[in-house]
Amino acid sequence: MENVLSYMTFVPLAGMLAVMVMPRDKHEVIRWTALAFTLVPLLLGIWLYGDFDGSITGMQYVERHTWIETYNIQYIMGIDGLSVTMVLLTALLCPICILASWNIEKGVKGYFMLFLLLETGMMGVFCALDFFLFYIFWEVMLLPMYFLIGIWGGPRREYAAIKFFLYTLVGSVLMLIAMLALYFHGEPRTFDMLVLMERAPTYARSFQAWAWLALFVGFAIKIPAFPFHTWLPDAHVEAPTAISVILAGVLLKMGTYGILRICYPIFPVATQQFAFWCLAVLGTWNIVYGALCAMAQQDMKKLVAYSSISHMGYVMLGMATLTSQGINGAVLQMFNHGTVTAMLFLIVGVVYDRAHHRDINGFGGLASVMPVYTGLMTVAFFAALGLPGLSAFISEVLVLLGAWQYNQALTIVAASAVVLTAGYMLWMLQRVWLGPVNEKYANMPDLSARELVTLLPLAVIVLVLGIHPHAVLDLIDPTLLALNRTVADAVVVSAQLLH
Amino acid sequence: MTLPIANIEVLYPLMFACAWGLLVLTVEMFSLSRRFVGIGWLSALGLAAVAGISLSGQGAGEVFAGAVALDAFSVYFYVLLSVLAIFAVFLSMDYVPLAGIIHGEFYPLILFAVAGLLVMVSATDLIVMFLGLETMSMAVYVLAGIRKDELRSNEAALKYFLLGAFASALLLYGIALIYAITGSTVLGSVANAIASTDYLAADSLVLMLGVGMLLAGFAFKIAAVPFHLWTPDVYEGAPTTVSAFMATAVKAGAFAALLRIVLVALAPVMPDLSWLMWVLAASTMTMGNFVALRQTNVKRMLAYSSIAHTGYLLVGVTAATAEAGAAVLYYLAAYGVMNIGAFGVLAALTRRRHALQEISDFAGLGQNRPVLALVMSICMLSLMGMPPLAGFVGKFYLFTAALEAGYTVLVVIAVLNSVVSAAYYLGVLRAMYFQSADAEEYSPRPYLNFAVTAAAAVTVALGLAPSPVMGAASRAFSSIILGP
């Protein structure tokens, strides 16, 4: 199974080709085929979870082939503790999203083809260890997203799609420039990230600084960090439910993943230089700003979108601290936010499918109408607001523990924002699920079996990780500690090399 | 009796192309139906044979005292031009009857244009190069205006002819002035003569005037700003498959000749003129892209996009290194194939005598004609520079080479231009997929559909596995800079 990563990446692509040759009116066949081709990566992911050795800090399951010889471009795939969580998250969310897309009736064939291509792009980004390959997957993922929002989205879908596309494209271009600069910076020329990481100490301070900033803006657009976040609420509001889940669950993580995978080990000196302002301060601002914006929303989906901005702030703050708790908390938060937000969007999707609107004030008393739904909703909502015993609590506490050792003022601000989070989550809960029953929706059916299958596994993961976080922490801890050391030692090492 | 010409085999592909053109013309005269697709097949067969003959004759050397060379560079372009022309022929086999073109000369004219292009790319003498350019141009002038009853087609032909004739005159005058200074028209000798004299001295003005006129003449042919104004009108008015041929094969041929002149004959002068190429490249791509943003007519948009791509290619000419030259060669192939696909889709949507023109005409194509829409998407995305398609790899090669040569600012301008271009290429995608329209009935168009699908497939393949073509481009380019 040494090619497991290639299988996980390209099986969905094979699925896309399989769907492509099917007649377009065979909706059921297409859906089941898409589901089957996303279940393969999930099963491989489950195997990977058992087989992955968390105690190793280096890359595992490495594949290496020459691709474009003239430019020394290689096909390198491999995962370490950082990427394994993201690969697992992607493998988990994709079949769930296929199920959540079951009631798509318009252009079924195109939808599932694009979705499968999207999964290939996402998997590839998390597995690629050649910068060129990483860039290709990054761009490959952009297109299906553009179409999925632009064709199957809400009323303002065209605007949201083009905004998403152009924002990300600007980020990609900055990334491309930094990538080419790296390529020309050292002999023999290579895009191999592992080699680039070894060369890290030889990069001059000024070069590190501008390359870091170029990459950072590219990644910050994806996170999205203030002030590059404005595409997110638009994209989320217009995107169909499953695409929102992917967007918040996986795509946002690519920003923070990129910073940890590329900026940290390749430009450690610049990372130390900019961590405070660009990651810690901006992250804390994200937490507060996102929460305040969420509080003001009338649209359930927009509220969840802003809550994502807020929660991704914890990731930025955690990784900025360069402490063992902080960085572990950040990566754990990436995983937990993936599962919790996925649940939140699915929950919004359930009422939207029934009521065809998402106005928070337009419901009331759903708890007595849909008890099973309400039970699962409670898990997700309380996880999102950081209730002890649920997964997000652990990661947020770890981040705050790390942050306390780093900067106490920021920690106090970030910790206080938890109150805001509780505020907007509970306020939405109260308006939608409690109070008198809105007669219009008194007969809304409870969750269907399909909807239950999408929500239940996520709820179980949220509960299990709340009690036993080591199920993930054991995978990531050694890798992240090594990464921390690389950055922390960088100043010393580069000083030695330059003299 | 034996011909007193050494190395006559160098000319075999050329002679074959001319002879085949005459043969097709003759066969066509006796064919009963004016819409006989066999003529198209016959032309395609001849073009394939040209490619085959040139491949087998590679390295045959020079003929006519170094006036024509069949080096790796020539062979690369012989094959590329043949392939592009075959694509154009296949597109035309359905398009010609649809557009109501009933003139039998259509295919022979394409073959004669190709013959002219072959002379042009393999010429190592300025006069012979001019000869090839004129042969090609004459054929293309007629092709542009072949729809005699169509006003726009007439306008296109007249405009192209008048401006083209003017450009030719400039070119010829430039050649004369260069001859006056260097005493030769053979590229290698011109280079030696310039290198051995102090060209900055007394005669510098005459030489620079000659170089300037030569470059201006070529700028017309490759549609570089400020000599680009004919392009949108001509591409719009000419029959769509002729526009496809002009935008790809003719441009490739003109760039080949330009590379030979700039990097061989004028090599000693070029370091002092790189600023000129820089300005030409930057203004061409910026102008092309920004004007394309405002177009609602797809053919005009593609014309401005082709101007923008001239700008990208000029980035490689500016850098003037071995890598940059190879990148230009690769990009010409990538650009040719993806543009053939784009124009081909336009041709495939022709209604009776009426080509689809407006972007809004593409509405609903994703629903009604999914394969054509997919082909168009691949071509648009490749033109935009999306990985992993040919256009991305080509831009990557070009821009890395330019970066390596130290043209950082130019590369940044080029990259920003690519972002701008995304806006108008996406406009087509938006119309195809985000808007809907009623399906229309189309007559079956097997050749067109085959050709555009093949073009899209090659675009993908060139992006995923660029190494073979890049290797050939690299060998081809080194054969002209190491040659003389």
Side-chain angles (χ1 to χ4, degrees), chain A residues 309-374:
Chain A
I309 296 179
S310 175
H311 283 122
M312 290 306 284
Y314 285 102
V315 180
M316 292 168 72
L317 177 62
M319 61 201 227
T321 64
L322 290 171
T323 57
S324 116
Q325 291 96 334
I327 200 163
N328 268 313
V331 176
L332 187 60
Q333 170 78 353
M334 281 159 69
F335 187 85
N336 288 340
H337 177 252
T339 48
V340 172
T341 314
M343 280 189 83
L344 292 177
F345 277 116
L346 289 169
I347 284 162
V348 175
V350 167
V351 286
Y352 183 70
D353 280 348
R354 287 162 173 70
H356 301 290
H357 76 86
R358 296 181 299 256
D359 185 2
I360 296 180
N361 295 318
F363 295 97
L366 283 187
S368 57
V369 181
M370 306 165 72
V372 180
Y373 174 57
T374 310

Side-chain angles (χ1 to χ4, degrees), chain B residues 18-104:
Chain B
C18 297
W20 200 266
L22 292 171
L23 174 76
V24 172
L25 194 61
T26 318
V27 171
E28 203 280 334
M29 268 196 317
F30 293 104
S31 79
L32 295 173
S33 161
R34 289 285 176 210
R35 290 167 188 183
F36 181 41
V37 288
I39 300 295
W41 278 106
L42 195 66
S43 313
L45 191 69
L47 289 163
V50 169
I53 295 170
S54 57
L55 276 173
S56 67
Q58 177 151 14
E62 298 174 333
V63 72
F64 297 139
V68 177
L70 194 62
D71 44 20
F73 186 83
S74 305
V75 173
Y76 181 87
F77 276 100
Y78 278 22
V79 174
L80 175 61
L81 294 170
S82 305
V83 170
L84 292 175
I86 290 174
F87 268 117
V89 165
F90 269 98
L91 294 180
S92 305
M93 279 155 76
D94 281 326
Y95 177 79
V96 163
L98 277 173
I101 298 169
I102 48 162
H103 306 284

Side-chain angles (χ1 to χ4, degrees), chain A residues 154-303:
Chain A
R156 290 172 73 233
R157 54 182 180 263
E158 284 189 30
Y159 169 76
I162 194 81
K163 193 169 179 182
F164 165 80
F165 192 93
L166 289 181
Y167 258 86
T168 317
L169 193 63
V170 170
S172 312
V173 163
L174 289 169
M175 193 179 8
L176 180 72
I177 290 171
M179 175 177 105
L180 291 178
L182 258 180
Y183 175 70
F184 284 111
H185 226 84
E187 287 290 336
R189 285 172 186 166
T190 182
F191 289 106
D192 183 343
M193 286 189 199
L194 300 174
V195 176
L196 294 175
M197 287 173 199
E198 283 167 23
R199 288 183 193 160
T202 61
Y203 297 139
R205 209 169 242 280
S206 57
F207 170 67
Q208 290 211 17
W210 77 255
W212 195 96
L213 286 174
L215 286 169
F216 173 74
V217 174
F219 293 135
I221 290 174
K222 208 83 193 175
I223 295 175
F226 183 90
F228 308 112
H229 66 284
T230 60
W231 63 268
L232 182 82
D234 285 315
H236 268 308
V237 169
E238 301 307 328
T241 301
I243 302 311
S244 286
V245 171
I246 288 293
L247 198 57
V250 182
L251 259 63
L252 305 193
K253 275 66 188 183
M254 285 183 182
T256 44
Y257 171 78
I259 294 177
L260 287 170
R261 166 64 69 231
I262 294 169
C263 293
Y264 267 50
I266 299 181
F267 304 112
V269 176
T271 303
Q272 286 200 338
Q273 189 182 345
F274 295 118
F276 181 70
W277 286 107
C278 290
L279 292 173
V281 173
L282 213 54
T284 311
W285 177 244
N286 252 33
I287 298 174
V288 177
Y289 176 87
L292 287 173
C293 287
M295 209 163 239
Q297 300 309 318
Q298 295 299 320
D299 181 322
M300 295 165 88
K301 226 172 172 184
K302 220 165 183 172
L303 185 144

Side-chain angles (χ1 to χ4, degrees), chain A residues 147, chain B residues 372-382 429 432-433:
Chain A
F147 284 115
Chain B
L372 277 187
L374 182 66
V375 167
M376 192 66 177
S377 311
I378 290 176
C379 295
M380 290 292 117
L381 294 170
S382 182
L429 264 65
M432 289 194 301
Y433 290 103

